[in-house]
């Protein structure tokens, strides 16, 4: 079994290298640019060289297609869709935290784009110059016409990747942890994969649901949702979220809470599967958010009761598993 997994891993790695090479070809690393062509044509003896270079590029594309059965255009689309992810970062009047978070996550190579959800109706988004140079080309501000937490799952910018990483503006991760979560998600694309689990229980004597704290979740070793402050899910769930009833969406607006619970219910309803909790160090920058309120847990418990009554069910599925990178294990168990 271990050998078969290793062979599969090696094949995936080689496939990735081929796709990366094709992607680079498409992006112009081996492409004769118009400027270079103009320079060549300015010298008569260079015309033959220019034509030879063009022919070489065409032959290289044909070779890749025939030998590896890979189409250039399709490979680029597949690379972007499957090997990268789009970050959707929710923010509200914490520009310093926003800068730190964006500059941090922009260093991770699989990030295709960082879409910043801007719902502040009183202040315009900051200039891109506040971000580090390596971040600016990835950032897209989404200016929404309303101040709603539902905007987090209401994209105004096209998403070209399958994976969406939903994240708050005040949390940081290492690229290694982020990539492990992304790779875990690629093996189970219909469910949600995240760093911050929570447990929702049903108290039969009280006839109500209860949203449990992190410590309760940790102590019991069980969870049935992961918070979208740091979670991967398929982009199709953004469309499913928009199909939620107005009653649920208005409840979220009125209470300024629970959009993450609603998305967890959407994913569970369609996937029929539990979320996946992955290991990773989550560093919070310490900003004050809605979760710091004294009635936060009570409000979220009421949300779950309300969503349950509207949906006619609580689709959340329990899990007791945590995914950890093998290299972080204390020891290896050798199989025979």
């Amino acid at each position: 079994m271990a050998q078969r997994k290793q062979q599969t891993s090696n094949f995936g790695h080689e496939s990735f290298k081929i796709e990366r090479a094709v992607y680079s070809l498409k992006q112009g690393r081996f492409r004769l640019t118009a400027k270079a062509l103009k320079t060549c044509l300015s010298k008569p003896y260079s015309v033959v060289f220019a034509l030879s270079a063009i022919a070489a590029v065409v032959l290289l594309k044909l070779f890749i297609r025939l030998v590896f059965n890979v189409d250039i255009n399709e490979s680029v689309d597949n690379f972007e869709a499957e090997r990268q992810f789009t970050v959707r970062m929710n923010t509200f009047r914490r520009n310093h935290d926003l800068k730190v978070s964006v500059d941090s996550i922009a260093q991770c190579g699989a990030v295709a784009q960082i879409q910043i959800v801007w719902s502040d109706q009183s202040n315009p988004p900051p200039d891109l110059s506040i971000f580090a140079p390596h971040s600016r080309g990835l950032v897209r501000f989404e200016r929404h016409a309303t101040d709603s937490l539902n905007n987090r799952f209401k994209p105004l910018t096209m998403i070209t990747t399958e994976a969406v990483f939903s994240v708050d503006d005040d949390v940081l991760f290492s690229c290694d942890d982020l990539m492990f979560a992304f790779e875990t998600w690629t093996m189970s694309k219909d469910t949600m994969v995240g760093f911050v689990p929570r447990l929702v229980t049903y108290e039969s004597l009280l006839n109500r649901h209860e949203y449990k704290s992190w410590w309760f979740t940790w102590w019991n070793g069980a969870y049935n949702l992961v918070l979208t402050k740091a979670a991967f899910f398929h982009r199709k769930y953004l469309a499913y979220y928009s199909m939620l009833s107005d009653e649920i969406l208005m409840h979220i607006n009125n209470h300024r809470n629970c959009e993450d619970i609603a998305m967890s219910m959407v994913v569970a309803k369609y996937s029929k599967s539990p979320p996946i909790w992955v290991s990773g160090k989550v560093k919070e920058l310490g900003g004050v958010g809605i979760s710091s309120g004294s009635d936060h847990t009570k409000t979220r418990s009421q949300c779950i009761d309300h969503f349950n009554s509207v949906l006619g069910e609580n689709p959340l599925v329990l899990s007791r598993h945590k995914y950890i990178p093998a290299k972080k294990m204390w020891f290896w168990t050798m199989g025979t």
Side-chain angles (χ1 to χ4, degrees):
M1 178 65 72
Q3 184 178 6
R4 185 162 60 251
K5 288 183 177 180
Q6 181 64 39
Q7 291 173 344
T8 302
S9 175
N10 290 339
F11 175 79
H13 182 64
E14 293 302 319
S15 175
F16 176 81
K17 289 196 293 185
I18 292 170
E19 291 182 3
R20 177 48 117 172
V22 173
Y23 180 73
S24 299
L25 177 63
K26 179 67 175 178
Q27 293 302 308
R29 295 183 184 178
F30 305 108
R31 184 174 55 195
L32 189 62
T33 64
K35 182 177 180 181
L37 181 60
K38 183 178 180 181
T39 301
C40 289
L41 293 179
S42 66
K43 300 177 181 179
Y45 64 84
S46 298
V47 173
V48 174
F49 171 78
L51 294 176
S52 299
I54 293 173
V57 171
V58 172
L59 290 174
L60 180 58
K61 289 182 178 181
L62 182 61
F63 173 78
I64 291 174
R65 181 160 189 166
L66 292 176
V67 175
F68 300 110
N69 194 28
V70 174
D71 180 77
I72 296 293
N73 295 325
E74 290 181 1
S75 179
V76 172
D77 293 339
N78 290 339
F79 180 86
E80 292 177 342
E82 298 179 7
R83 302 292 187 172
Q84 295 180 296
F85 58 87
T86 299
V87 177
R88 287 189 59 79
M89 184 176 292
N90 202 47
T91 187
F92 196 81
R93 298 180 183 176
R94 295 191 292 202
N95 286 357
H96 178 266
D97 289 354
L98 175 65
K99 168 185 166 45
V100 174
S101 295
V102 167
D103 287 345
S104 175
I105 203 168
Q107 299 178 74
C108 304
V111 175
Q113 193 175 86
I114 302 174
Q115 300 176 353
I116 300 176
V117 182
W118 192 269
S119 301
D120 189 345
Q121 303 302 298
S122 301
N123 302 290
D127 190 82
L128 289 178
S129 61
I130 74 165
F131 302 114
H134 72 271
S135 305
R136 296 168 191 167
L138 297 173
V139 173
R140 302 290 184 275
F141 277 102
E142 278 190 2
R143 298 192 66 173
H144 290 263
T146 59
D147 178 10
S148 169
L149 289 176
N150 290 310
N151 292 340
R152 168 177 233 140
F153 307 124
K154 183 182 178 182
L156 303 180
T157 307
M158 180 180 294
I159 296 176
T160 59
T161 62
E162 289 183 329
V164 174
F165 182 60
S166 175
V167 63
D168 283 354
D169 60 359
D170 62 344
V171 289
L172 302 177
F173 317 85
S174 71
C175 289
D176 285 344
D177 286 342
L178 195 60
M179 285 305 300
F180 174 70
F182 176 52
E183 290 165 3
T184 301
W185 177 84
T186 61
M187 295 184 290
S188 186
K189 294 183 178 181
D190 282 336
T191 192
M192 190 182 293
V193 175
F195 294 94
V196 188
R198 290 292 186 271
L199 178 64
V200 172
T201 63
Y202 179 72
E203 307 299 328
S204 56
L205 294 179
L206 301 175
N207 191 30
R208 71 187 186 197
H209 292 87
E210 287 195 3
Y211 175 86
K212 299 298 186 179
S213 68
W214 154 246
W215 293 111
F216 187 95
T217 303
W218 173 79
W219 181 257
N220 286 274
Y223 63 97
N224 47 17
L225 61 85
V226 290
L227 303 185
T228 56
K229 68 183 296 179
F232 283 95
F233 53 80
H234 197 284
R235 64 186 175 191
K236 66 184 177 183
Y237 291 119
L238 296 171
Y240 294 158
Y241 186 93
S242 69
M243 293 187 289
L244 285 171
S245 69
D246 290 340
E247 192 173 352
I248 289 179
L249 298 177
M250 287 304 299
H251 185 93
I252 292 169
N253 284 337
N254 294 337
H255 293 81
R256 294 193 61 80
N257 207 326
C258 304
E259 83 287 353
D260 52 348
I261 295 175
M263 177 55 89
S264 287
M265 287 187 163
V266 167
V267 175
K269 178 179 174 66
Y270 286 96
S271 70
K272 309 297 183 185
S273 302
I276 295 175
W277 173 23
V278 291
S279 171
K281 184 178 180 181
V282 180
K283 179 181 179 181
E284 301 199 26
L285 297 177
V288 177
I290 58 175
S291 61
S292 61
S294 58
D295 293 332
H296 178 67
T297 300
K298 179 180 178 181
T299 299
R300 290 169 76 78
S301 297
Q302 293 172 346
C303 283
I304 296 164
D305 281 334
H306 182 70
F307 297 165
N308 180 71
S309 65
V310 175
L311 295 174
E313 62 173 331
N314 176 8
L316 299 178
V317 182
L318 189 71
S319 177
R320 297 182 182 276
H321 303 284
K322 180 180 181 181
Y323 284 59
I324 301 173
K327 66 180 180 180
K328 290 187 178 181
M329 299 293 289
W330 283 91
F331 58 89
W332 290 92
T333 300
M334 303 301 294
T336 58

